[in-house]
Amino acid sequence: MNAPVKMIPTTVIDLLKIDHFKAKECFDYFAALGDLDFKIKEKVMKQMALDLMTHLVAEENVLYPLIAKHLPHGSALVSESIVEHDRARHLIQKLGSMSPFDPLYDSTVKTLAELMRYHIEEEENYIFPLLEHVDLDFEELAIELQKVKKMVV
């Protein structure tokens, strides 16, 4: 019997989907935490903020120029996505200045999670399938995405 083959992400879309999966998992974990898990909530959100900010910058620098150039109505798609990213940044910054003891902390995280879930769904169900039909070197773009992410961190 053969051992299962572990898939190594090789394309920019694979890497972005992994980021999306991790974000959703983190938001689910946060939502499951009890009302008194303040220290854990703070730790989870600090890591999530770093991961999301890194993802947003990398996506804007690597993926969005391609979307604008190669997809029908690409500029409009990018504009909408940038607005969503700006809203996410605002919520992340707001959370950074809040204490997990703040009565609005959990609802602010929930708002961020809902925004990101909508954004992820739009990318994975609409934008990525369109982009996959464009003749691009998605493996080379994965390398570029990783370079940008390392520069951000």
Side-chain angles (χ1 to χ4, degrees), residues 78-139:
V78 168
S79 294
E80 182 181 329
S81 293
I82 294 292
V83 169
E84 291 166 359
H85 280 198
D86 287 346
R87 287 185 60 215
R89 280 187 182 91
H90 171 74
L91 290 169
I92 291 166
Q93 289 170 348
K94 184 175 180 176
L95 285 164
S97 66
M98 296 172 79
S99 162
F101 297 100
D102 188 308
L104 297 178
Y105 192 81
D106 286 2
S107 61
T108 304
V109 172
K110 183 178 179 184
T111 301
L112 176 61
E114 289 169 355
L115 170 66
M116 293 312 301
R117 287 180 195 281
Y118 170 81
H119 181 75
I120 289 167
E121 184 176 314
E122 188 174 60
E123 283 184 349
E124 291 189 2
N125 295 327
Y126 180 67
I127 295 173
F128 291 174
L130 290 174
L131 199 58
E132 287 173 339
H133 295 289
V134 177
D135 185 25
L136 296 168
D137 186 342
F138 289 100
E139 291 174 1

Side-chain angles (χ1 to χ4, degrees), residues 5 11-12 34 51 140:
V5 176
T11 73
V12 69
D51 292 347
E140 183 62 35

Side-chain angles (χ1 to χ4, degrees), residues 39-50:
K39 290 286 186 192
I40 297 171
K41 286 180 179 184
E42 185 175 41
K43 183 178 179 180
V44 168
M45 279 317 303
K46 281 185 180 182
Q47 185 61 51
M48 173 54 67
L50 176 62

Side-chain angles (χ1 to χ4, degrees), residues 49-61:
L50 176 62
D51 292 347
L52 279 176
M53 293 298 275
T54 302
H55 176 84
L56 299 178
V57 170
E59 206 170 57
E60 290 169 5
N61 283 282

